[in-house]
Amino acid sequence: MNRDLNEASILQSQSETTTDIYFKNTYTIVSTVAYLLGVPEKIFQNEFGSPRPEVYERLEKEKSARIIRNLCMLRTAIERNFGYINEKMTFEYKGLMSMPELIPIDAITQLEQDHIHIVKTHSKLVHYIIDINRLIMDRINNCKDFFPMWLNWQYLREIFIMPNGLTEEGTKVAANLYYMNKNFYPYRMYMNWPPTDQGNILYNDKKFVTLLYEWNFDKFEDFSKVSDAGSRTKDNIYQFLEDSGRTVVVVDCENSDPYKLCAVFNHLETDILEKIARVVLFDDVHTTDAWAILKQYVHVPIEHIVIERIKQNKSLVDIRLTADACKEFYQNNTDSFIIVSSDSDYWGLISALPDAHFLVMIEREKCGPDMKTALATSGIFYCFLDDFYSGDNEEIIINALVLETRKYLDFTVKFNVKDLMSHILQATRVTLSEEEKKQFYDKYIKSMRLAIDDNGDVHVELNSWK
């Protein structure tokens, strides 16, 4: 039924172990956090470290990120050496700029260049901490867009905010906590968290995000956003495509997720994907519109077939997919198929084409153990759509949301303002000159806007008389 694949490789590939051979760590989030916390640049240049140099270089060009980084660097430097710096300021009348061995002067210089003035005369050291805390609180939201939409921003924001940090007592409590647990803080940089021996909490995205949610008594479970399918899964897909003469991907849109499929194509090597002749989406009229925009984000030829229903309670997707796959095999010399579906109905298609080669992509929670066992026993490699990195799917998700929003608004909110003008003039029996009509239209009608109340109800607002 399928070309020979090493049996051990197949069985290993079906394993749900979390070792790196099956899952590849990602480092985008931890690199961004490390930059903002002020982790030294040399850590980013270490090839064995977690923070990535390309993230450092990108954020260095962003003023809002630079400001938070330099403020955090300065805060940590003061916290590390508070007693010694305070003594020199009190008894030797030294300022921050005169202690380059203790204070990152470059951070102060960059802040000045970005119009943030830190150095003041006759200021107590604790007031520097308070001022820095205030600046961070005021500006940290400017960094929200450096993180994906799916990550809880409130959880993330809090790690930069010193609790009660605008008071001397609050800074003292935070300093004591930092001194007692300094070795637990990532790269010894100050942050707001419950410090315990967790190893390097910025080791990778999966570890950090999992801990971040736990600190907030929450649980993070969508690990496809913080890891990617590992080398064994991808190598088996590449081998399947290399051994194929002509490969067609057939997708059951009723039983698949367009965002997860997008993640698959976007994280496989482009030159290998060129072996795919085309992707055929077999779609039902009642599935998500995201399938219609998938081709904008996937660089593989896509044909989108929307199948109407004869009976409203009966979909014809599985029948059409099976029929077209058989046509592909017998008429177009397609010898290999990648089936994207978690539906066991397609075992009939696999059985009907014993000379074809198959690879199946399923969703972990939607495919039962019997189907997985049948595939593995028959030597058919399958992989999980859920395992591919989806953390960068934000653009297609936003596009789908906006598309659906426009459809809904077009259906529910639709009127012509010229008809509205005619109606209000007739209803009020007011006679206006053309110039008066224009002025009224420009001030009240053209400037109409939607307002949303606390219950989510929408109404149209007009400019007031005065």
Side-chain angles (χ1 to χ4, degrees), residues 130-274:
I130 291 173
D131 286 347
I132 290 170
N133 286 338
R134 182 179 289 108
L135 286 166
I136 292 174
M137 287 180 64
D138 290 344
R139 292 175 173 273
I140 187 59
N141 283 341
N142 295 336
C143 296
K144 182 177 180 179
D145 289 343
F146 298 132
F147 295 93
M149 183 177 63
W150 54 261
L151 187 63
N152 189 310
W153 170 246
Q154 193 59 36
Y155 295 171
L156 195 57
R157 179 183 185 274
E158 289 303 309
I159 72 173
F160 297 94
I161 307 299
M162 183 180 289
N164 201 21
L166 301 185
T167 67
E168 291 191 21
E169 181 60 29
T171 63
K172 184 177 180 180
V173 171
N176 289 336
L177 185 65
Y178 176 70
Y179 293 141
M180 291 172 58
N181 303 279
K182 186 162 55 176
N183 290 335
F184 298 152
Y185 284 72
Y187 306 100
R188 295 193 173 186
M189 303 304 297
Y190 174 79
M191 59 179 277
N192 174 28
W193 69 302
T196 53
D197 188 2
Q198 300 278 0
N200 182 4
I201 63 173
L202 298 181
Y203 178 67
N204 58 47
D205 290 348
K206 181 179 180 181
K207 180 174 183 177
F208 173 74
V209 173
T210 301
L211 289 172
L212 178 67
Y213 277 63
E214 287 178 0
W215 300 334
N216 290 275
F217 308 101
D218 198 353
K219 188 174 183 180
F220 182 81
E221 297 180 307
D222 191 353
F223 295 116
S224 71
K225 289 183 167 60
V226 290
S227 62
D228 192 15
S231 59
R232 187 175 297 279
T233 295
K234 291 185 178 182
D235 286 347
N236 273 305
I237 296 173
Y238 296 152
Q239 190 63 55
F240 179 87
L241 292 173
E242 287 286 357
D243 293 344
S244 300
R246 173 183 163 89
T247 301
V248 169
V249 180
V250 289
V251 183
D252 172 10
C253 296
E254 286 184 305
N255 291 289
S256 300
D257 186 310
Y259 313 108
K260 292 178 180 179
L261 183 60
C262 183
V264 172
F265 285 119
N266 286 336
H267 293 92
L268 293 175
E269 293 180 10
T270 304
D271 58 335
I272 299 295
L273 290 178
E274 291 177 355

Side-chain angles (χ1 to χ4, degrees), residues 362-427:
I362 60 178
E363 290 177 57
R364 193 178 298 273
E365 298 300 324
K366 292 183 179 179
C367 189
D370 293 342
M371 184 63 176
K372 297 174 188 176
T373 301
L375 290 169
T377 302
S378 300
I380 296 175
F381 176 75
Y382 70 86
C383 63
F384 298 107
L385 293 168
D386 319 63
D387 290 347
F388 288 82
Y389 178 59
S390 63
D392 56 359
N393 264 1
E394 192 162 307
E395 185 178 343
I396 185 175
I397 290 172
I398 294 296
N399 199 341
L401 291 171
V402 170
L403 180 65
E404 190 59 35
T405 301
R406 286 174 176 162
K407 282 181 59 179
Y408 183 87
L409 291 176
D410 285 345
F411 180 75
T412 57
V413 183
K414 194 170 185 178
F415 61 88
N416 186 284
V417 293
K418 293 182 179 179
D419 293 341
L420 173 63
M421 275 292 295
S422 298
H423 168 78
I424 60 178
L425 290 173
Q426 183 178 5

Side-chain angles (χ1 to χ4, degrees), residues 289-309:
D289 287 332
W291 291 110
I293 61 174
L294 184 65
K295 63 179 64 177
Q296 299 176 33
Y297 301 93
V298 173
H299 303 297
V300 177
I302 291 182
E303 180 180 355
H304 186 203
I305 300 175
V306 179
I307 302 164
E308 297 287 341
R309 294 189 175 199

Side-chain angles (χ1 to χ4, degrees), residues 23 94 114 129 189 197 218 235 252 272 316 320 344 368 375 441:
F23 296 99
K94 286 195 170 185
D114 287 329
I129 293 290
M189 303 304 297
D197 188 2
D218 198 353
D235 286 347
D252 172 10
I272 299 295
L316 301 176
R320 180 66 185 274
S344 60
L375 290 169
Y441 177 84

